[in-house]
Amino acid sequence: MGEAREPSVYSIAAHRGFADALVAGLVPRYAEDDFGLARLTLLVPSSRAARTISEAFVRHSGETGLLMPRMVTVGDLDLDEALGSLLDPLGASDIPPAVEPTQRWLEIAKLIEIENAEAGKPPLTGAARLRLARDVARAMDRLLVEDVPPDDLWSDRILDMLGNLSGHWQDSLRLFSRVQVRWRVRLDELGRVDAAKRRNMLFERAAKRWRAEPPAHPIVAAGVTSAAPALARMLRVIAGMPNGAVLLPDLDLSMSDEAWEELGRAGAAPEPGGQVFGKQDVLTHPQYHLKLLLERMGFARAEVRQWHRKGESAAPPSRTHAISSLFLPPKASQSWIGIAPEKRRLSGVRLMTSANPEEEAQAIALLVREAIDEPEKRVAVVTADRALARRIVQHLSRWNIVADDTAGRPLSLTPAGRLIGLLADLTTHGLEPARFIGALAHPLIHSENRDARADWLRSLRKFDRELRGPWPAPGFAPLREIAAEAKISDWFEGVEQTLRPLLTLSAEISLAEALDTLVSVAEALAGEAVWAREDGRALSAMVEDLRLHSRSLGTQVAPADLAKVLRDCMDEIAVRPPYGGHPRVSIYGLLESRMARADLVICGGLNEGSWPQSPGPDPLLAPGVLRALGVPGAEFRIGLSAHDLAGALGAPEVVLSRAQRDSEGPALASRFWLRVEALLGDDLADKHRETDIPAILPWLDREPPEKIEPYPRPHPRPSAQQRMVKISATALDRLLGDPYQFYAREILGLRRLDPLAADPFGDPALRGTLVHDILDQWHKTRRDTPDLAIASFAEAQMREKQVHPLFWGLWRPRLVAALERFERWVDEAAREGREVIATEPWGEMIYEGVAVGGRADRIDRMPDGTLGIVDYKTGGPPTAAQVEAGYALQLGVLGLIARYGKFAADDGEVSGEATCFEYWSLAKKGGEFGFVEVPMKVGRKNTGLLTEKFLPEHERFLREAIGSYITGDEPFTAKENPDYPGYSDYDQLMRLDEWIVQLAQRKGEGMP
């Protein structure tokens, strides 16, 4: 039976709502009294589309019910979906089975290794080789989907252009071609074909059968927009059958012929054998892929008819005209100058701008919350930014609105995936503190038993607190000592026994064996909770698949590559939530949103790089090679995302949303957003701005303005018993300059937690601790080895403490240079009778009934028998003026402790009169690192305390502090002296930003 003279090809305009309009037309056309639509076969692009159409059938039938048609998925490769049983019957024995994707990936990786070895190239690491194998597989699929024979890579038109390609592209093309040849030989050995080729064969098989013998019952292809040649040929057959039809979403029939031609060749070569894609083709246009599909189907746009039914949630017809004008190609868009107002207007469309993604997510959530207050109103949020989608889901939960992101999350970001990823990180990176704690704190560990989980967390928190600070040496031994200090040795013994197999893998191990070890450790920690939910089931399927094929192929991987390999695998798998969210709220990715419909559609993340996403070039085939082979370029996907936006704009109400900044800085508005603003013009664009929600947002988590009272400057007044605390030498200036800091630290007992694996490079305090430890150990070791050089000793200490490479490269040379000068000065002083008698001794005294203590960096015995106190500084030391003002009182307090108390040194107690006070700084001065500063008015100094007044003045400061704050009743006022250069650790606790401006204003006005 021949093809029909008039093809049954229809277009459903965007404003009609594809799914609802489709159902509204199918029911009267194909429904039978006794069978309903049971004899109709509906070809749909994906299972998501099938669900959307099913929901439309339910809405249309209402309470009467209806026998629905048989829906068969064509299968979307991007969604990793298979063909429906109609196109892929069990009895298709004439078509070879497809090779398993994981087997194919690992086989190609093996072929790459063989190819590189034969070419004399150095072997790639396991992770790089597997990643390259994935790229090769994608490139093969791309060519297979486009019906490009492998031999075309050796055709004259490709060979002729090789000389114009850079060396990188030549090498990539050569590698790809040779691996592809090897893979075809391997497929013949296996008796299998690639999945993409098998799809083409099945499409050809169905088209041939239906052409020869059209089915007795109707077949309708709805919403299929893939322009794959084999699929296009099958759609042509369906369109020509007596009971067949093809329905396309939003093919623009109102576009002028000139604009249509401006789109480019779109598969139509200007001469036989010519290129089917021109350099000037507008691949980014939303109609380009539909023009390509029509060209490959062999139909002209004039042969496509309008589908005149519309759905329940249809928008005004003027919306389609505006959408058509919005996306006109470059030359045709010049008509915007004289476009009629009714074709420019986008009634029902609003533009919403937010400051950042967090604010955008909150605004979108508020829009959803507002919309569902209206009964039966459906809301869809569409965004390509999965991070934004996750934020929206979290914000909706504050109103108990469960909204599932149907695009899913990468397996690597799910709880089960994170656990396996963290354990793999320990194998790859060793026992890095942050990764170690992150793995042990995972919420799945002991989650099946509440009491066991509580005990586990108590021990872990003790260990975490003790672990904070400088990075410990590698291995379990240092961590075992830390656990002993935290008094949780038994707990850590179990942890070590569980995790040790991860760190004892051989240098090159079978991937299957590595997975066995990971799974056994994960189950030992979390039990069956690893596999209990949907993410666990997806992880289980991935692990079993990898184990099966890697074991049969002998795939090897180094432990250093294991984390990357698994993360790459998990990133390829999307875990979609089970159904059960709010029935009127949906969150879609771009692929999932096709054919979906709602009364309000919110398009979020309309920035370049998100919608549309940046087109990534093929890593193996140059753009010119792809064009010569007849494969559309990377910009083709921008056109698909533009079509997704055009479809979303057909809803009755639409909100387009973007953030002005992202995590990296100012964000560039999407080209689609800019087109909307340009089409509307400044006046209309301002009228389309969404202003209510942004105005509400600032008050969402705040009280109304009239109820807000300014936060007062803190001035706590603890009881006399609470005030009786020890004063340290470093805290006296803090007590006088900012009493609140002293109160928070000494009375409340609040301390800043060091980060895990803190490195001296980024933390001055830890840098100072490192230098103090080096000097302390050097002086003590030097007693037995007087000739010990400080430079080699310091470098050995830094190696032992595993300082950060940046610290080693940038700070080590400076420190060593300064320490060598210190060594020279110590030796010179010794020759003059000055002797180092104690390093890092702790001293105490009782002064007016209060304990005062402090640690001296170094105490020297001067030639006259008095004491010299030295304080080491890695940065610039305090000036004499700062000491005189009471901002740096440490040295003076240590001198008072030497006078009225004692220091506990290794050789006994040290006390006496201190007459020498020095800062030994490692900073740069006079072109050299390292200098000595005396904090008194000596020599040419014009400021500072005289030598004879140095200790008496410090004693006055100490007496004043004790009398006012320790034994007295003065409040510990925050920022008592705003000029005091203290730390900012407690600024948030004192809520500084809420009152400091008012304080400055009052002082400027002369108020108390």
Side-chain angles (χ1 to χ4, degrees):
M1 199 170 181
E3 292 183 1
R5 293 183 180 177
E6 276 195 45
S8 298
V9 184
Y10 299 89
S11 171
I12 298 179
H15 75 276
R16 296 180 181 275
F18 188 89
D20 290 324
L22 171 70
V23 171
L26 290 179
V27 172
R29 181 174 298 199
Y30 295 109
E32 302 177 29
D33 292 339
D34 297 328
F35 297 98
L37 294 174
R39 290 178 173 173
L40 170 66
T41 298
L42 206 56
L43 295 184
V44 296
S46 64
S47 57
R48 172 74 247 180
R51 184 188 176 202
T52 300
I53 294 173
S54 298
E55 293 169 350
F57 273 116
V58 171
R59 288 193 297 271
H60 182 86
S61 61
E63 298 179 358
T64 59
L66 177 71
L67 286 176
M68 290 171 52
R70 176 189 184 187
M71 280 188 255
V72 179
T73 57
V74 170
D76 193 325
L77 278 177
D78 288 325
L79 293 176
D80 195 25
E81 290 184 339
L83 294 172
S85 58
L86 174 70
L87 299 174
D88 190 5
L90 294 175
S93 57
D94 55 326
I95 297 177
V99 66
E100 287 289 333
T102 303
Q103 178 187 357
R104 180 193 192 213
W105 170 49
L106 297 178
E107 292 260 20
I108 291 174
K110 196 172 184 180
L111 296 178
I112 291 172
E113 186 177 13
I114 295 172
E115 179 62 34
N116 280 339
E118 291 186 2
K121 295 181 179 180
L124 297 173
T125 64
R129 187 174 67 251
L130 290 168
R131 197 169 293 159
L132 179 57
R134 205 181 294 277
D135 290 336
V136 169
R138 287 197 183 103
M140 288 181 183
D141 285 340
R142 192 172 183 183
L143 297 184
L144 288 170
V145 167
E146 292 295 325
D147 246 2
V148 177
D151 293 337
D152 278 11
L153 284 171
W154 303 100
S155 63
D156 291 340
R157 64 178 182 272
I158 301 299
L159 295 176
D160 290 343
M161 65 186 307
L162 275 179
N164 298 324
L165 297 177
S166 66
H168 158 72
W169 285 121
Q170 291 182 23
D171 292 342
S172 298
L173 179 59
R174 187 178 297 110
L175 174 68
F176 175 75
S177 303
R178 295 178 68 86
V179 170
Q180 188 180 41
V181 170
R182 292 178 183 273
W183 176 237
R184 289 168 63 193
V185 173
R186 179 60 179 153
L187 281 176
D188 291 340
E189 294 173 357
L190 295 171
R192 295 179 178 269
V193 293
D194 289 308
K197 183 175 180 180
R198 189 170 191 274
R199 291 165 64 86
N200 291 345
M201 297 170 74
L202 289 168
F203 290 151
E204 296 286 2
R205 183 178 184 273
K208 183 178 179 181
R209 188 174 71 248
W210 292 340
R211 185 184 298 111
E213 188 178 347
H217 302 298
I219 295 180
V220 175
V224 179
T225 59
S226 171
L231 178 56
R233 290 191 290 269
M234 186 183 74
L235 293 179
R236 176 183 175 84
V237 173
I238 294 173
M241 294 191 308
N243 289 329
V246 175
L247 283 82
L248 302 175
D250 192 29
L251 175 66
D252 191 350
L253 300 180
S254 63
M255 181 186 288
S256 67
D257 292 339
E258 293 78 8
W260 183 258
E261 288 302 319
E262 189 184 341
L263 297 182
R265 299 175 187 174
E271 66 276 335
Q275 290 191 4
V276 295
F277 296 103
K279 291 184 178 180
Q280 303 302 318
D281 280 15
V282 190
L283 275 73
T284 59
H285 195 277
Q287 295 293 310
Y288 187 88
H289 71 291
L290 294 174
K291 181 176 183 180
L292 176 61
L293 176 59
L294 285 178
E295 290 286 354
R296 289 178 171 176
M297 288 173 65
F299 297 140
R301 185 174 59 133
E303 297 178 89
V304 181
R305 289 172 278 176
Q306 191 69 260
W307 187 263
H308 290 293
R309 295 281 182 170
K310 66 178 182 178
E312 296 178 3
S313 56
S318 59
R319 182 72 60 77
T320 293
H321 295 300
I323 294 172
S324 177
S325 301
L326 176 65
F327 289 106
L328 284 174
K331 290 182 181 178
S333 62
Q334 295 175 7
S335 63
W336 285 2
I337 299 173
I339 198 170
E342 61 272 11
K343 291 190 177 182
R344 184 189 295 271
R345 189 176 298 113
L346 285 168
S347 58
V349 177
R350 290 172 283 167
L351 305 175
M352 183 173 71
T353 304
S354 305
N356 52 62
E358 177 61 26
E359 186 178 303
E360 181 183 10
Q362 198 170 27
I364 290 174
L366 195 55
L367 279 170
V368 174
R369 175 65 184 86
E370 178 187 50
I372 62 172
D373 264 356
E374 188 175 330
E376 299 185 6
K377 188 171 186 177
R378 291 175 293 146
V379 186
V381 178
V382 183
T383 177
D385 186 345
R386 303 327 316 145
L388 177 64
R390 289 193 291 272
R391 281 188 166 121
I392 295 168
V393 169
Q394 291 301 318
H395 281 296
L396 286 173
S397 65
R398 72 184 299 168
W399 297 296
N400 296 321
I401 299 172
V402 179
D404 295 325
D405 180 8
T406 57
R409 285 188 295 170
L411 178 57
S412 58
L413 296 182
T414 63
R418 283 185 184 276
L419 177 59
I420 289 294
L422 286 167
L423 294 177
D425 280 340
L426 296 183
T427 301
T428 296
H429 302 286
L431 299 174
E432 292 183 5
R435 300 178 194 273
F436 185 68
I437 294 296
L440 297 182
H442 193 280
L444 288 182
I445 294 180
H446 292 299
S447 60
E448 297 174 325
N449 186 314
R450 182 177 297 179
D451 293 337
R453 173 74 179 170
D455 292 341
W456 176 272
L457 289 179
R458 273 192 291 271
S459 298
L460 178 62
R461 285 163 186 158
K462 292 178 182 177
F463 181 76
D464 178 12
R465 189 179 183 98
E466 201 67 38
L467 179 62
R468 290 177 178 272
W471 197 320
F476 281 106
L479 300 181
R480 202 180 300 128
E481 295 175 3
I482 292 172
E485 292 175 8
K487 298 181 175 57
I488 49 168
S489 296
D490 292 342
W491 172 83
F492 188 78
E493 184 179 349
V495 171
E496 181 178 351
Q497 184 178 356
T498 302
L499 296 183
R500 184 169 289 280
L502 295 177
L503 281 86
T504 55
L505 298 177
S506 57
E508 193 77 15
I509 187 174
S510 161
L511 178 57
E513 186 180 341
L515 288 170
D516 290 340
T517 304
L518 276 175
V519 167
S520 64
V521 172
E523 289 180 341
L525 291 170
E528 293 301 316
V530 183
W531 322 111
R533 299 176 62 85
E534 63 274 4
D535 58 331
R537 292 187 285 273
L539 178 65
S540 173
M542 185 203 81
V543 168
E544 289 304 315
D545 193 33
L546 266 180
R547 279 202 288 206
L548 172 66
H549 294 294
S550 62
R551 185 168 280 122
S552 64
L553 293 172
T555 304
Q556 299 287 308
V557 65
D561 291 326
L562 184 61
K564 295 178 184 176
V565 170
L566 288 182
R567 189 154 286 113
D568 286 347
C569 290
M570 291 191 288
D571 284 343
E572 296 291 317
I573 300 172
V575 179
R576 293 179 173 84
Y579 299 126
H582 196 285
R584 293 189 286 124
V585 178
S586 302
I587 299 179
Y588 299 118
L590 299 193
L591 288 173
E592 292 76 20
S593 70
R594 293 170 186 171
M595 299 175 61
R597 195 62 168 180
D599 301 294
L600 169 63
V601 174
I602 305 169
C603 301
L606 277 165
N607 284 327
E608 286 294 310
S610 174
W611 195 347
Q613 294 184 338
S614 300
D618 192 294
L620 295 165
L621 301 177
V625 172
L626 291 174
R627 193 164 51 249
L629 291 171
V631 178
E635 295 81 4
F636 186 72
R637 288 192 174 274
I638 295 181
L640 295 178
S641 63
H643 191 262
D644 294 332
L645 180 61
L649 283 170
E653 289 183 62
V654 181
V655 176
L656 305 180
S657 172
R658 68 171 293 261
Q660 294 174 317
R661 296 181 64 87
D662 57 20
S663 59
E664 298 178 355
L668 182 64
S670 166
R671 63 193 72 186
F672 308 141
W673 175 283
L674 296 177
R675 273 184 165 265
V676 171
E677 289 187 327
L679 176 67
L680 292 172
D682 293 339
D683 294 338
L684 275 178
D686 290 340
K687 294 178 181 178
H688 283 264
R689 303 286 179 192
E690 170 60 49
T691 56
D692 292 344
I693 296 298
I696 294 172
L697 274 185
W699 305 108
L700 191 60
D701 296 310
R702 303 180 189 175
E703 296 181 2
E706 61 272 14
K707 294 184 179 180
I708 296 177
E709 296 181 1
Y711 188 78
R713 183 185 189 182
H715 52 283
R717 234 183 245 273
S719 65
Q721 183 179 359
Q722 292 172 323
R723 290 172 181 264
M724 289 303 295
V725 294
K726 182 187 294 185
I727 299 178
S728 69
T730 56
L732 177 60
D733 49 82
R734 186 184 304 124
L735 178 57
L736 293 171
D738 189 353
Y740 187 88
Q741 284 196 36
F742 182 91
Y743 164 78
R745 181 180 175 86
E746 307 299 338
I747 296 179
L748 296 184
L750 300 177
R751 300 285 193 279
R752 180 178 71 90
L753 279 179
D754 288 329
L756 287 167
D759 189 82
F761 178 75
D763 191 326
L766 289 175
R767 191 162 61 242
T769 301
L770 174 65
V771 171
H772 282 64
D773 289 345
I774 289 173
L775 286 165
D776 178 38
Q777 293 300 318
W778 177 68
H779 279 295
K780 289 175 178 175
T781 308
R782 209 175 182 221
R783 295 173 186 172
D784 299 325
T785 54
D787 296 331
L788 179 63
I790 196 168
S792 57
F793 182 83
E795 289 182 350
Q797 290 284 306
M798 283 185 261
R799 286 194 189 94
E800 181 181 336
K801 295 178 183 296
Q802 294 186 317
V803 298
H804 195 280
L806 281 176
F807 184 92
W808 180 265
L810 297 179
W811 277 98
R812 177 189 56 84
R814 309 178 188 185
L815 296 184
V816 170
L819 291 175
E820 287 178 328
R821 297 193 78 191
F822 283 14
E823 180 182 20
R824 188 166 65 251
W825 294 335
V826 169
D827 291 341
E828 290 173 357
R831 286 193 292 270
E832 295 175 1
R834 179 173 173 175
E835 177 189 3
V836 178
I837 59 173
T839 58
E840 301 294 330
W842 176 263
E844 285 192 2
M845 68 174 180
I846 302 298
Y847 190 87
E848 296 191 356
V850 177
V852 180
R855 187 177 300 278
D857 293 341
R858 197 179 91 208
I859 299 179
D860 294 353
R861 179 74 66 187
M862 305 303 291
D864 61 359
T866 60
L867 300 180
I869 298 178
V870 176
D871 187 28
Y872 299 131
K873 297 293 182 183
T874 54
T879 64
Q882 287 177 317
V883 174
E884 184 180 11
Y887 295 158
L889 303 176
Q890 179 183 1
L891 276 180
V893 174
L894 293 174
L896 293 175
I897 293 174
R899 173 188 289 178
Y900 299 121
K902 57 190 175 183
F903 285 93
D906 293 340
D907 298 333
E909 297 177 350
V910 176
S911 62
E913 189 70 18
T915 59
C916 176
F917 301 92
E918 295 174 343
Y919 290 113
W920 287 36
S921 173
L922 286 85
K924 192 173 187 180
K925 185 177 182 181
E928 292 187 276
F929 290 101
F931 64 91
V932 176
E933 183 73 28
V934 177
M936 293 177 285
K937 189 176 180 180
V938 294
R940 297 180 179 180
K941 290 184 179 180
N942 296 320
T943 58
L945 296 171
L946 295 172
T947 304
E948 62 272 16
K949 291 186 177 181
F950 188 77
L951 284 182
E953 192 66 12
H954 279 77
E955 190 168 358
R956 181 182 69 80
F957 280 127
L958 179 61
R959 188 181 302 110
E960 176 187 336
I962 291 175
S964 299
Y965 297 105
I966 306 303
T967 59
D969 192 37
E970 285 293 315
F972 290 82
T973 305
K975 300 293 182 184
E976 177 73 20
N977 188 342
D979 295 328
Y980 170 66
Y983 296 103
S984 58
D985 295 345
Y986 303 100
D987 285 359
Q988 187 174 11
L989 182 66
M990 67 176 69
R991 297 168 67 169
L992 177 68
D993 291 341
E994 298 183 42
W995 52 264
I996 191 65
V997 175
Q998 297 178 5
L999 178 65
Q1001 290 174 345
R1002 293 177 62 183
K1003 285 193 173 183
E1005 297 169 359
M1007 299 175 63

